[in-house]
Amino acid sequence: MATIIAIPLGLHSAGTVRGEMAFNPLIQIFRPISRSHGSPSRSSGFGVGDLSSIFLIFVGCFFPLLLTAMSAVHNIPAVYIHAGRNFGLSPSAFVTECFTRQLFRSY
């Protein structure tokens, strides 16, 4: 669940100026909160069962995935961005092309 939510959110928020201005302050506020400090609210909100453990794992995975996706977008070379715009690629096609080129570069 964290992967399905964090990666597209990170790609979108880092890919657009408005998205980064909207999401980055919220991310920076909630990111440094220790996972153990959420235990009382987690127990009162989800009980003692499996759902509270799933939520804790979700929160523990969400922010590293989100920040990694945002960092990946920021580290795309400007040459690739200009070339994609010149060829008329849509944003989703551009992400797919960059991903496949980076994936198969080492082979």
Side-chain angles (χ1 to χ4, degrees):
M1 284 190 329
T3 303
I4 293 170
I5 296 171
I7 292 176
L9 184 64
L11 293 176
H12 175 70
S13 65
T16 61
V17 175
R18 286 185 180 177
E20 186 155 4
M21 288 175 58
F23 289 116
N24 197 23
L26 294 172
I27 293 166
Q28 298 306 325
I29 287 172
F30 290 117
R31 184 175 57 96
I33 296 173
S34 174
R35 304 300 166 245
S36 62
H37 286 99
S39 294
S41 63
R42 177 177 54 101
S43 296
S44 64
F46 294 108
V48 185
D50 291 336
L51 191 59
S52 62
S53 300
I54 291 170
F55 178 73
L56 185 63
I57 293 169
F58 172 80
V59 170
C61 295
F62 180 77
F63 287 110
L65 287 170
L66 181 69
L67 294 174
T68 301
M70 290 175 70
S71 175
V73 170
H74 286 297
N75 289 329
I76 294 174
V79 175
Y80 289 173
I81 295 171
H82 296 304
R85 287 183 185 155
N86 286 338
F87 285 119
L89 292 177
S90 67
S92 61
F94 179 73
V95 169
T96 304
E97 281 293 319
C98 286
F99 176 72
T100 55
R101 297 216 185 262
Q102 290 291 344
L103 182 65
F104 295 115
R105 179 187 292 186
S106 62
Y107 297 115

